[in-house]
Amino acid sequence: MTEQSDDDGFLKRDSMGERFFYSIVLLVLYAVAETLLWAMAVGQFVWMLINQGKPNDNVAEFGARLGVWVKRAAMYLSATTDEKPFPWREID
């Protein structure tokens, strides 16, 4: 899905009701992301214990993507930007 823009190419600002709805959804997803981060950190630590300190590349890549999503969610929630993160745009 793509964001709607006005005639000047700028993102259309969400109404307060829409922002409230998106914020609630993002806060729930943020809680899920926090749980995923805990599980991922513990799993990666155990993996590294078993494999002489070598991290799992897939877990590291997922962690990097999760970090980018958390940053974008925090920027939307704090009204730094009007650009919504996944699931309203593609994951980088």
Side-chain angles (χ1 to χ4, degrees), residues 32-85:
V32 171
E34 183 180 12
T35 302
L36 283 173
L37 180 60
W38 272 94
M40 187 178 53
V42 170
Q44 185 75 300
F45 184 77
V46 170
W47 179 271
M48 291 173 66
L49 279 176
I50 295 169
N51 292 294
Q52 296 87 31
K54 185 177 180 199
N56 182 311
D57 293 336
N58 292 325
V59 174
E61 174 70 24
F62 179 74
R65 287 178 167 222
L66 183 63
V68 169
W69 182 87
V70 166
K71 175 187 173 192
R72 289 190 175 146
M75 289 177 66
Y76 182 81
L77 289 167
S78 65
T80 303
T81 183
D82 290 325
E83 187 175 337
K84 294 177 279 304

Side-chain angles (χ1 to χ4, degrees), residues 2-67:
T2 58
E3 299 280 344
Q4 299 251 338
S5 58
D6 62 13
D7 294 334
D8 297 328
F10 293 105
L11 289 177
K12 285 177 87 174
R13 188 157 275 211
D14 296 331
S15 71
M16 290 305 291
E18 288 174 319
R19 183 170 275 277
F20 178 75
F21 171 75
Y22 294 136
S23 294
I24 295 300
V25 171
L26 284 173
L27 286 168
V28 170
L29 291 174
Y30 191 89
V32 171
E34 183 180 12
T35 302
L36 283 173
L37 180 60
W38 272 94
M40 187 178 53
V42 170
Q44 185 75 300
F45 184 77
V46 170
W47 179 271
M48 291 173 66
L49 279 176
I50 295 169
N51 292 294
Q52 296 87 31
K54 185 177 180 199
N56 182 311
D57 293 336
N58 292 325
V59 174
E61 174 70 24
F62 179 74
R65 287 178 167 222
L66 183 63

